[in-house]
Each structure stands twice: as C-alpha cells, then as structure tokens.
Amino acid sequence: MIIILSGDGDVSTDYVVEYLARLQHKFIRINSYDLLNDKLCISSKNGKTELILAGQLIDINDVGAVWYRKFGFFYKSEQYKKLTKIFNIDIANNISKEFTSVLETIVQILFDKNWLTHPSTIGINKFDVIRQAQRLQIDTPDSYLTNSKNYLQEILPTDEFITKSIRDPWIIRSGTKSIKRPYSMFTSILDQDEINQISAEFFPSLVQRKIDKEFELRVFYLAGIFYSMAIFSQLDSQTSIDFRRYNWQKPNRRTPYNLPFELKVKLKKLMRHYGFNCCSIDIIKGQDGKYYLLEINPTGQFGMVDFPCNYGLHMKVAQHLIYLDQKYHEKSKKTISTPDI
C-alpha cells in the first residue's frame, strides 16, 4: 500500500491518485488538514503501532511506499485563523508547533518505508546548494549573503544583481515602500534606487549576479531521469526576470529540451549528495552558452513541465510509487524467510 502525504487542493497529487486508481493499486491519501478535521487516533501499545483516521484503520505493516508531497501549512488553516482571533500570535504559533509535532509523528511512524522525497531532504538551503554545485563544477551565478548597504554599494557598480529569498518567499527591506503593503517576493533586480532606500544594515539577504539569459529551463527529476522544459521568458518584459510573473494574455513559449550529457552527470552527483529521488530544478541557459543552476525545490510543481511537454509525469510518478511499494514488500519477504545463523 502507498501513503501520500499531501495537502488540500494539490493538483499534482490529484492526478497521481487518479492514475493509482486506474492501475488498481491500493493507496491512502492523507492531507495535512485531515489531521485537524477528521477523527484521529495514533496508538502505541504492546509494541504495536496503529493509525486510525476518519474511522479507517491503517495497518502500517501494509505500507511499503510513502510520497511526501505537500504536508503542513497549519498557518493557512481555518483553525489557525480562529486562534489568532482568540489568542495573541505567540500562542497561535506555539499551537502551530504542536501541530508540526503531530505531522512529525506520522513521518516517524513511516520512517523505514521507501520514500519518494524523504522529509529529511525538504529543508535545503539555497546558498548551500550553490556551494555544492560549484564544488561539482556546475556553473551558478556569483552569490552573496549580506546585511550591509556599504557592501552592496561596493559590488553593485561592477554588474547587475538580483535578489531572492534564501529559503521562503519573504524578505525584509528596511525603509522601502514595498514593506507597507502585502508583499510576495519574486526574483527582482536590485538597483541603486532600491539600495538608496534601505538602511545601513538590514536583514541578511541573498544577492546574485544577474545572468543575461537565452532561455530558462525548468527540470523535473525522478529516479535518475531528467525531464526538461525550455521557457522563452526573456522575450517578455513581464517574465524576463522571473517567469512566475505569468503573462496569461500572452504565455511564454515552452518546449521539451534535452540537457547536455555532461550537465546531467554533474546534476546526478548533486542529487546523490542531497539524497533526492524527486525534485524540481531551475536553470538558466546564459547568452554566453553556459548553464547556470539557480535552485532546487524538493516538492516543486511539475504539472507545468508535464502538460506542455507531454511527458506523462503524473503517470510516471504513480508507476514509480508502485515500484517502491512492491520493492519494499519483496525485501520484507526475503528478510522474513532468511533463517537466523
């Protein structure tokens, strides 16, 4: 049996479970909010652990594979919104931490199963990815993590730079106008006008040299295979810096793309370093002919690669989960049948 740890409304999960149903393979999808809205009981007695959710007993011994998709986001739940109205934000956040511990309990119960995206690989740091990529001779933009206005003024005149979050899509820029309104961070150009507005010291932020791009590449990695899509975002001023600023009236041209063999070899070494068997990768093909790794997202969306390129990725994910499930139970049978020496 396969367990999918996901979230309400995740479209990629929806498609994968449809394929699992067509293939008639047993699975259970657990959305993180199910642990808030449905009856839950996790018991441990006499050396046996049981999980009951919404009246359904889940036999942990039947589970061979787990897909960690999107699991958490308590701060987006209705329960969290109600808590912030009743209690102060500190109390609400402490309760949020308790819910995170409940999620971690589910993960620990399933820890010895075969995982597609192991939870231990989720919290990667963008700057560390850059360092490890450079160690493997993968090109990356020159990168700086700084909190000094003086240092920014020293490096900026030599080139154009962009700024992005180092982990989550938030940034603190003291003194800027952007802080006065709800702010969702995209990758953006950092220019002298922006620098003039910030204080002498600010929250440490990631700054990278801007790469003049030929096109962008969004890559989905699954079990040793790279599925790549070229995005010609540089032809539209709205998407030229960050293609996530979608132009719905005139979408970017997107097409399948085959990465160079040498780059695939290096990227596979990077995947092994972090223990990834599934992730999304952002790359820029520069006008200088080089391929620049930007970042890796362990639970990134892959439908946007699948549908334009007709890769059938949701089916491939379903098939790989079935493979992981079968492989786990085959190994368990061999372990049980092997006599003690």
Side-chain angles (χ1 to χ4, degrees), residues 224-238:
I225 301 176
F226 297 96
Y227 302 91
S228 306
M229 175 180 71
I231 309 169
F232 294 88
S233 56
Q234 77 285 356
L235 302 177
D236 187 330
S237 59
Q238 180 174 321

Side-chain angles (χ1 to χ4, degrees), residues 20-215:
L20 288 173
R22 291 183 194 179
L23 295 168
Q24 298 183 334
H25 196 89
K26 190 175 180 182
F27 70 90
I28 294 176
R29 174 178 179 172
I30 302 178
N31 293 329
S32 52
Y33 293 170
D34 293 344
L35 308 180
L36 297 169
N37 301 323
D38 296 334
K39 291 182 179 179
L40 167 71
C41 182
I42 304 172
S43 65
S44 180
K45 54 184 180 181
N46 300 323
K48 184 178 181 181
T49 301
E50 290 185 342
L51 171 61
I52 302 174
L53 183 62
Q56 182 179 9
L57 173 63
I58 301 173
D59 188 342
I60 303 302
N61 292 325
D62 285 345
V63 180
V66 187
W67 183 25
Y68 192 100
R69 178 59 194 151
K70 302 279 187 181
F71 205 50
F73 305 102
F74 179 68
Y75 66 93
K76 292 184 178 180
S77 67
E78 290 300 318
Q79 288 84 346
Y80 181 79
K81 294 174 184 176
K82 290 178 182 178
L83 287 172
T84 56
K85 294 178 181 178
I86 300 172
F87 304 107
N88 64 45
I89 194 69
D90 290 333
I91 293 176
N93 286 339
N94 280 331
I95 295 175
S96 179
K97 292 177 182 177
E98 287 293 308
F99 182 64
T100 298
S101 295
V102 175
L103 301 182
E104 290 173 350
T105 300
I106 301 292
V107 168
Q108 289 299 321
I109 288 173
L110 302 167
F111 201 80
D112 67 336
K113 311 300 180 181
N114 285 338
W115 287 78
L116 185 62
T117 304
H118 197 278
S120 64
T121 66
I122 299 299
I124 60 168
N125 180 281
K126 290 180 184 177
F127 203 88
D128 186 64
V129 169
I130 291 165
R131 291 177 55 251
Q132 296 302 329
Q134 291 175 353
R135 182 178 64 83
L136 294 170
Q137 296 183 322
I138 300 172
D139 290 309
T140 67
D142 295 339
S143 303
Y144 306 84
L145 182 60
T146 183
N147 66 348
S148 169
K149 180 176 181 177
N150 287 340
Y151 191 70
L152 282 179
Q153 289 173 326
E154 287 179 14
I155 62 174
L156 269 179
T158 63
D159 229 327
E160 282 192 292
F161 281 76
I162 57 95
T163 183
K164 61 171 71 174
S165 66
I166 194 168
R167 181 170 179 177
D168 296 317
W170 303 99
I171 190 167
I172 298 175
R173 295 179 184 171
S174 304
T176 65
K177 295 178 181 179
S178 61
I179 205 71
K180 296 179 182 178
R181 62 180 184 274
Y183 190 69
S184 178
M185 185 186 173
F186 293 99
T187 300
S188 56
I189 292 179
L190 188 63
D191 56 26
Q192 286 296 336
D193 289 339
E194 180 103 311
I195 292 177
N196 290 337
Q197 295 183 60
I198 66 176
S199 55
E201 294 180 351
F202 50 89
F203 192 82
S205 299
L206 178 63
V207 179
Q208 293 181 316
R209 182 172 66 85
K210 178 177 173 290
I211 304 298
D212 293 325
K213 63 185 175 184
E214 184 178 341
F215 50 81

Side-chain angles (χ1 to χ4, degrees), residues 262-291:
E262 184 179 355
L263 179 59
K264 289 180 183 179
V265 171
K266 293 177 180 178
L267 286 173
K268 282 187 179 181
K269 291 180 180 179
L270 188 62
M271 299 297 102
R272 287 196 293 271
H273 173 79
Y274 285 108
F276 292 141
N277 59 5
C278 180
C279 65
S280 293
I281 308 169
D282 290 342
I283 296 172
I284 280 182
K285 170 72 179 301
Q287 292 182 8
D288 57 6
K290 296 180 179 180
Y291 292 85

